């Protein structure tokens, strides 16, 4: 069994893909929504359709392999245009490499996970684009899109005000990677921080973040934003650390760590 499924609010499910990431299913009165598609190691589409019995839309928070790798199980998926190419370029080899990286980090037991044979393909859905301010009307609830460039160029957060959840992807983790391509890293960090500040100004509308790997208390997400603010003000200095399967300079504030640099350098063991 690939999944651990928990109903976190009535009609809202948190789906853990064997410790690799988190996805969410939101049931509405007219239609439902799937938020992220995971790495695609098992029949996620079948799981979704066991939870909801109405039409559904698939929304991808960003184009990384552990969130968009399974989207080929669906006919259609929405993504921000700036992450379209990254999602389109994901190959089976990238998905398998992610599994090995998670093994090396001790997140999963060696050899315990593999991609189902029928899913070892590079199929992709028809991608449609979503942007800041778009609203997906599920009938009794609406999902509103907020752009939060930083982790990737096209990262988005999705607000479900009726269920009081901000689906935040990988934008406010306590291990936050600001690794979108940028010539000016400080300007990118500031863009991410300002977007987060704007979104969290609405925190009276949500009481938890549905993060890309786990549920995140609001105060933890705000701690990560504070880390970014302190980097911008010059109050924090980076220190090279081995964190998870990353070896890179991290800034630390309380229990939050933040990396602001090139994605390829983040994976370099030579740093």
């Amino acid at each position: 069994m690939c999944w651990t499924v928990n109903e976190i609010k009535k009609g809202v499910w948190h789906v853990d893909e064997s410790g690799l990431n988190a996805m969410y299913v939101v049931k509405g009165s007219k239609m439902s929504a799937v938020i992220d598609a995971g790495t695609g190691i098992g029949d996620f589409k079948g799981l979704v359709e066991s939870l909801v019995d109405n039409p559904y839309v698939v929304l991808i928070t960003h184009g990384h392999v552990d969130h968009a790798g399974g989207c080929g199980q669906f006919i259609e998926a929405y993504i921000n245009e700036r992450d379209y190419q990254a999602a389109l370029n994901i190959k089976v080899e990238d998905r398998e490499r992610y599994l090995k990286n998670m093994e090396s980090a001790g997140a999963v037991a060696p050899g315990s996970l593999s991609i189902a044979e029928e899913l070892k393909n590079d199929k992709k859905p028809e991608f449609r684009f979503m942007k800041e301010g778009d609203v997906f009307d599920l009938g009794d609830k609406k999902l509103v899109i907020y752009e939060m460039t930083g982790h990737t160029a096209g990262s988005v957060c999705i607000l479900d005000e009726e269920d009081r959840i901000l689906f935040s992807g990988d934008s406010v983790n306590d291990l936050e990677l600001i690794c979108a391509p940028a010539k000016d890293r400080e300007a990118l960090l500031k863009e991410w921080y300002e977007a987060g500040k704007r979104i969290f100004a609405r925190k009276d509308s949500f009481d938890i973040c549905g993060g890309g790997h786990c549920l995140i208390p609001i105060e933890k997400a705000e701690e990560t934003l504070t880390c970014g603010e302190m980097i911008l003000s010059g109050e924090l200095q980076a220190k090279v650390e081995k964190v998870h399967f990353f070896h890179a300079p991290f800034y630390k504030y309380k229990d939050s760590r933040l990396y602001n640099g090139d994605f390829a350098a983040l994976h370099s063991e030579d740093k």
Side-chain angles (χ1 to χ4, degrees), residues 145-160:
I145 305 302
Y146 291 88
E147 295 180 2
M148 194 170 174
T149 298
H151 182 64
T152 65
S155 286
V156 302
C157 295
I158 303 167
L159 178 61
D160 174 359

Side-chain angles (χ1 to χ4, degrees), residues 14-254:
H14 167 275
V15 181
D16 181 284
E17 187 187 27
S18 299
L20 300 173
N21 46 61
M23 296 91 85
Y24 301 89
V25 180
V26 182
K27 182 174 175 57
S29 59
K30 293 183 179 178
M31 64 183 298
S32 297
V34 176
I35 298 173
D36 282 343
T39 314
I41 64 173
D43 183 13
F44 182 48
K45 182 175 185 287
L47 174 67
V48 169
E49 293 174 1
S50 75
L51 295 173
V52 300
D53 56 3
N54 55 3
Y56 57 85
V57 62
V58 178
L59 310 177
I60 305 296
T61 62
H62 62 290
H64 281 167
V65 64
D66 50 332
H67 300 271
C71 64
Q73 297 183 35
F74 302 97
I75 294 171
E76 178 182 283
Y78 283 82
I79 196 166
N80 185 273
E81 187 171 7
R82 288 180 290 178
D83 270 21
Y84 163 67
Q85 200 62 51
L88 194 66
N89 289 345
I90 295 171
K91 306 296 184 189
V92 173
E93 292 80 3
D94 301 315
R95 293 155 63 199
E96 290 176 331
R97 187 180 305 113
Y98 178 67
L99 294 184
K100 290 191 178 300
N101 284 340
M102 291 295 279
E103 287 181 1
S104 71
V108 298
S112 63
L113 298 179
S114 61
I115 299 170
E117 286 299 320
E118 64 272 19
L119 298 175
K120 289 185 177 180
N121 60 65
D122 295 332
K123 285 177 61 178
K124 295 294 183 293
E126 178 181 352
F127 283 112
R128 297 183 181 275
F129 298 142
M130 59 182 176
K131 63 184 185 307
E132 176 87 16
D134 283 351
V135 178
F136 292 87
D137 189 347
L138 308 185
D140 58 340
K141 57 188 72 173
K142 294 179 173 63
L143 304 183
V144 182
I145 305 302
Y146 291 88
E147 295 180 2
M148 194 170 174
T149 298
H151 182 64
T152 65
S155 286
V156 302
C157 295
I158 303 167
L159 178 61
D160 174 359
E161 195 167 336
E162 285 71 27
D163 292 312
R164 298 188 56 79
I165 304 172
L166 179 73
F167 299 102
S168 52
D170 279 353
S171 287
V172 287
N173 293 322
D174 57 5
L175 175 59
E176 184 55 44
L177 311 176
I178 306 300
C179 51
K183 292 181 179 179
D184 186 335
R185 302 304 312 180
E186 184 174 349
L188 176 67
L189 181 62
K190 185 175 182 181
E191 183 178 359
W192 167 82
Y193 170 70
E194 292 294 341
K197 191 167 70 168
R198 175 173 52 83
I199 294 167
F200 276 77
R202 297 209 56 196
K203 67 180 181 180
D204 59 338
S205 300
F206 55 93
D207 49 35
I208 198 164
C209 295
H213 293 268
C214 62
L215 297 173
I216 305 169
I218 291 177
E219 58 270 20
K220 281 290 182 184
E222 291 187 306
E223 184 179 289
T224 300
L225 290 173
T226 299
C227 185
E229 181 181 30
M230 293 176 72
I231 296 166
L232 291 168
S233 69
E235 295 175 69
L236 295 179
Q237 299 299 316
K239 177 183 177 182
V240 175
E241 292 184 80
K242 180 76 164 57
V243 183
H244 206 35
F245 53 77
F246 305 119
H247 189 259
F250 285 93
Y251 297 88
K252 184 178 180 183
Y253 171 68
K254 294 187 177 179

